[in-house]
Amino acid sequence: GDARRHVARAFSDKPFRDIVVMKPFYVVDHSEGWEALLRVIQRTTGVSEDGLMTLSVAGLLALLLCAPFFFLRRPEAWLAAVMAQVIAIPELPARWTQGRPFLLTEVILVCLLLVWSREEARQPSPKLIAGTFLAFALSAWMHGAWYLWVLLPVAFCLAGRFRAAACLTACWLAGAGAGSLLTGHPIAFLKEQVMIAFAIRAETSGARHGGLQ
């Protein structure tokens, strides 16, 4: 589904709304950063559609599986956790091999949790704050769905880590703003993401109630 769309966009300069009929509020591609990266890779290497799809799937999966190693003293603990998740949720491998940029957001989430849960993060350094800001900006530009990150500071707040929650909130809002600026349509981008979420919720709710009837 989406992976094929992202790869196709690397071979075309047309915006997605000029290829597929979309709802009127859809004016900005929500994964412009990811599609821009794929376009650069394709034009630099000349890779084919199949090659770019393979790179998307394998690259994002490798990043998800290996990125946490840099933040753990016992990397095998991460592999054990992944195995436990796969056993508990058998459909996870299918989700992890779709070649979609939501995996990049998952990688960023895992890394931020590992870093900010450390004791030294109770007094976050300028380096940590700057890195967190860049991570939020990258996620917003590559994947969209910037509003979902509100769950991270809320989780830290519920855990009693109020200083961390405040810092994460500031980094999230600044990062989302920076990521939206990279699209060239910041207001439309931020607004559209929220409208997409409400549209999906309405469609899902309507389908569920329709099934009950």
Side-chain angles (χ1 to χ4, degrees):
D2 285 350
R4 292 192 291 272
R5 167 175 75 87
H6 295 313
V7 170
R9 286 278 288 111
F11 292 85
S12 173
D13 290 325
K14 291 183 179 180
F16 191 51
R17 62 184 180 276
D18 289 347
I19 301 173
V20 178
V21 176
M22 306 294 293
K23 291 182 180 294
F25 65 78
Y26 193 98
V27 296
V28 181
D29 288 347
H30 64 269
S31 299
E32 285 203 3
W34 177 244
E35 292 168 358
L37 176 61
L38 293 180
R39 190 176 298 113
V40 169
I41 293 174
Q42 194 282 322
R43 294 181 179 179
T44 301
T45 64
V47 66
S48 66
E49 291 92 337
D50 289 341
L52 196 58
M53 178 68 78
T54 300
L55 181 63
S56 299
V57 173
L60 286 171
L61 180 60
L63 189 63
L64 176 65
L65 294 178
C66 298
F69 290 172
F70 297 97
F71 304 97
L72 293 170
R73 286 179 292 180
R74 301 297 297 271
E76 62 271 20
W78 169 246
L79 295 180
V82 169
M83 183 177 297
Q85 285 291 311
V86 171
I87 293 173
I89 312 175
E91 60 270 21
L92 271 183
R95 295 282 294 171
W96 289 345
T97 54
Q98 291 183 359
R100 296 170 54 200
F102 87 91
L103 280 175
L104 182 61
T105 292
E106 288 194 1
V107 171
I108 292 173
L109 172 61
V110 171
C111 292
L112 288 179
L113 286 171
L114 290 172
V115 173
W116 280 87
S117 62
R118 294 174 176 174
E119 184 65 28
E120 57 267 24
R122 293 183 180 275
Q123 297 290 336
S125 66
K127 183 178 179 180
L128 176 57
I129 292 175
T132 303
F133 158 75
L134 291 175
F136 282 131
L138 182 65
S139 172
W141 185 45
M142 289 282 181
H143 177 220
W146 62 272
Y147 53 88
L148 291 176
W149 282 110
V150 69
L151 297 174
L152 186 60
V154 167
F156 274 80
C157 188
L158 292 175
R161 295 282 300 277
F162 300 112
R163 181 189 295 272
C167 291
L168 285 167
T169 300
C171 290
W172 162 52
L173 294 176
S180 68
L181 287 173
L182 291 174
T183 69
H185 310 279
I187 303 300
F189 174 81
L190 295 174
K191 179 180 178 181
E192 181 180 291
Q193 293 298 302
V194 178
M195 294 182 69
I196 288 174
F198 278 104
I200 293 174
R201 181 181 181 278
E203 291 172 2
T204 303
S205 177
R208 183 168 58 251
H209 289 308
L212 291 175
Q213 293 176 357

